[in-house]
Amino acid sequence: MICIDGGVFQNNPTTTALVEVFKYPREYANGESITLDDIFVLSIGTGRHNKFVSTRHAYSGGQIAWIRPIIDISMWGNSQAVDEHMERLFLLQSGKRHYLRLNVDIPDEEYADMAISSKEAMDYYTERFKIDYLNNPDVQAQLDQWLIDSEIVAPLQ
């Protein structure tokens, strides 16, 4: 069997997930239909690495040198487009943030390939998660608001 990583065409699968939810009519036990207002999405990415491309390399690197950057740009662009569309769709529908995307930064190129599953790599990703999320007050505020809007937790009195 030949398989292709979903990241080749869908690095942020939120759109696909919503299509699956609404593919068939769904109802609550009381007969009311499930709507977009009833759905909250917490999308957790596998991380992103932004490789710097120097001006010299951009102009003199040639077509072969652009293969990897073009692939990375295409994949990241797709993910960002889905992120933007989902955020707007949910805001337009409910006026609340029913959608939140979290994605850690991976500054070290040696860990940019998510196929690396060594203990060292896992420790690195865990540390990046702590830096970007657990110790980041802006992200914590976004997550707290998302949890309140979704009614997963009640606001503190």
Side-chain angles (χ1 to χ4, degrees):
M1 175 187 292
I2 297 173
C3 298
I4 297 175
D5 183 346
V8 170
F9 67 95
Q10 195 72 28
N11 278 298
N12 180 340
T14 306
T15 306
T16 304
L18 281 180
V19 168
E20 287 300 311
V21 167
F22 290 110
K23 186 189 276 186
Y24 305 103
R26 301 206 190 302
E27 297 177 344
Y28 288 107
N30 65 6
E32 288 184 33
S33 294
I34 294 175
T35 68
L36 199 57
D37 278 339
D38 302 318
I39 297 172
F40 287 81
V41 177
L42 175 60
S43 176
I44 301 175
T46 58
R48 63 177 172 251
H49 171 73
N50 296 323
K51 183 176 181 179
F52 176 76
V53 177
S54 71
T55 303
R56 186 174 83 85
H57 180 78
Y59 286 107
S60 64
Q63 293 176 344
I64 298 294
W66 270 100
I67 290 174
R68 181 64 185 195
I70 290 296
I71 291 170
D72 291 345
I73 290 166
S74 297
M75 289 181 166
W76 183 243
N78 172 281
S79 181
Q80 286 296 97
V82 170
D83 185 45
E84 180 71 22
H85 293 150
M86 289 299 100
E87 192 166 314
R88 286 183 181 200
L89 176 68
F90 280 106
L91 274 172
L92 287 171
Q93 180 67 29
S94 67
K96 293 183 180 178
R97 292 195 63 189
H98 284 225
Y99 169 81
L100 179 62
R101 172 86 169 165
L102 301 177
N103 210 1
V104 298
D105 287 318
I106 301 174
D108 300 317
E109 187 172 0
E110 67 185 289
Y111 297 107
D113 183 353
M114 292 307 297
I116 301 170
S117 59
S118 67
K119 176 164 178 12
E120 179 185 0
M122 294 299 111
D123 291 344
Y124 174 85
Y125 300 136
T126 301
E127 189 59 32
R128 289 305 316 165
F129 183 84
K130 288 177 185 175
I131 291 168
D132 286 357
Y133 298 124
L134 300 182
N135 299 327
N136 184 325
D138 292 334
V139 171
Q140 286 298 309
Q142 288 180 345
L143 187 54
D144 289 347
Q145 189 59 54
W146 183 86
L147 289 168
I148 291 167
D149 287 349
S150 66
E151 298 177 349
I152 292 171
V153 299
L156 296 175
Q157 300 290 343

